[in-house]
Amino acid sequence: MPSSVIHRCISKRVLEKTNLYTNDKDKYLYDLGSIAPDSWKNSSRFKDSLLPKKEKRKYSHFSNEDEYFEHYDRFLDKYKDNLNNPFMIGYLVHLLTDIHWRETMFYRCFDENGAIIMLDGSVLNGEKGVRKNLLNKESKKMAYHLYHKFNLNELNLLSCDELDLLPKMKEIEFDGLNDTIRYSNSACDIDIDEELLVYKIDDFVSGIEECSQFIVDKLIELDIIKR
């Protein structure tokens, strides 16, 4: 699924297309909301848990335990009265991003048998761990390139006072948010000069643009923003 950097690139493009928020506080809360659903990975509840990934992420992504699908309508039904908070719009953008990215980008590098198609035309059909390690490394390289291409800024860590600005949600534990911020910021810390072996930067840039427009259209359809 999209990395935190990809989520931030898409949410930034949505903001640029809609001009939803103009002051720094609102922009910060919106930006934070766009990576918040994945903070389950760093929460005390699940950080060291041996539960299957689908079971751990289902709460923050409004999913069923046996699926990777984000029921954004469940989110809207529950929090429709909290959408005046930029954090919640960022959260919704995250859920919509996951849906669209999975349908349009996530499986592009796999053939029908689940093997990885390399940029040089070769196919990697090794052990699952080998393939996973390769894609994780590729994701880090891509995150570095996209972080700079889209001119992302480092997110400030949450202060105690800023916690009071966040809506009360049972689906996420805010103790994992600062670690999630640190992880997202780390994309700019390492200069990765190795060539990409699986992903193309231009494909991701066009995918980010396509996904951001999909979300803008969906927000208009849901009557959250006006055309």
Side-chain angles (χ1 to χ4, degrees):
M1 292 308 297
S3 67
S4 59
V5 168
I6 291 173
H7 274 291
R8 291 191 65 205
C9 289
I10 291 170
S11 68
K12 182 178 182 180
R13 288 296 294 131
V14 170
L15 192 59
E16 290 170 347
K17 290 170 182 282
T18 61
N19 202 32
L20 265 173
Y21 307 113
T22 56
N23 69 71
D24 290 342
K25 184 185 77 173
D26 286 348
K27 287 181 178 179
Y28 172 76
L29 291 172
Y30 167 80
D31 201 354
L32 183 59
S34 75
I35 61 172
D38 286 340
S39 64
W40 64 264
K41 300 174 184 177
N42 300 308
S43 69
S44 57
R45 181 180 183 185
F46 292 126
K47 196 169 187 178
D48 299 315
S49 171
L50 298 179
L51 287 172
K53 182 178 179 181
K54 289 179 181 179
E55 178 72 19
K56 291 186 286 188
R57 79 187 289 277
K58 71 175 183 179
Y59 301 101
S60 64
H61 287 72
F62 295 81
S63 306
N64 296 327
E65 62 186 37
D66 60 344
E67 67 179 0
Y68 283 118
F69 186 81
E70 297 69 35
H71 295 278
Y72 68 89
D73 53 325
R74 296 176 183 173
F75 166 82
L76 288 173
D77 285 343
K78 186 171 183 178
Y79 293 111
K80 57 182 179 292
D81 295 331
N82 299 87
L83 296 181
N84 59 327
N85 190 311
F87 179 91
M88 301 303 272
I89 299 298
Y91 201 109
L92 175 60
V93 167
H94 179 109
L95 299 179
L96 293 172
T97 295
D98 277 354
I99 293 171
H100 192 269
W101 197 264
R102 183 186 298 106
E103 293 176 350
T104 61
M105 291 292 294
F106 184 70
Y107 294 106
R108 284 189 181 185
C109 66
F110 298 102
D111 67 12
E112 64 275 9
N113 298 314
I116 298 173
I117 305 171
M118 310 290 282
L119 289 181
D120 63 6
S122 63
V123 175
L124 177 62
N125 194 18
E127 296 179 358
K128 184 178 180 180
V130 173
R131 286 176 288 164
K132 183 177 180 180
N133 287 338
L134 172 62
L135 292 183
N136 284 342
K137 191 173 183 179
E138 285 285 287
S139 293
K140 289 180 181 179
K141 288 190 278 187
M142 181 59 73
Y144 171 80
H145 291 298
L146 293 175
Y147 189 99
H148 294 282
K149 189 171 187 65
F150 283 83
N151 296 315
L152 298 183
N153 60 295
E154 287 197 21
L155 270 172
N156 294 327
L157 296 179
L158 274 169
S159 66
C160 293
D161 291 339
E162 286 167 329
L163 277 175
D164 294 334
L165 300 174
L166 302 181
K168 302 297 185 270
M169 298 182 70
K170 293 183 178 180
E171 288 78 15
I172 58 173
E173 297 178 23
F174 293 115
D175 68 332
L177 271 175
N178 274 340
D179 278 347
T180 302
I181 292 171
R182 291 187 185 96
Y183 179 79
S184 182
N185 289 343
S186 70
C188 69
D189 292 341
I190 303 173
D191 187 350
I192 302 174
D193 57 3
E194 299 175 23
E195 291 185 5
L196 288 159
L197 303 176
V198 180
Y199 300 138
K200 293 181 180 179
I201 295 175
D202 288 347
D203 286 346
F204 274 65
V205 171
S206 62
I208 287 168
E209 186 63 25
E210 179 185 322
C211 188
S212 64
Q213 188 58 52
F214 161 79
I215 292 170
V216 170
D217 293 340
K218 179 61 71 172
L219 294 177
I220 292 172
E221 177 188 323
L222 293 169
D223 202 29
I224 293 173
I225 62 174
K226 302 299 182 184
R227 188 178 296 277

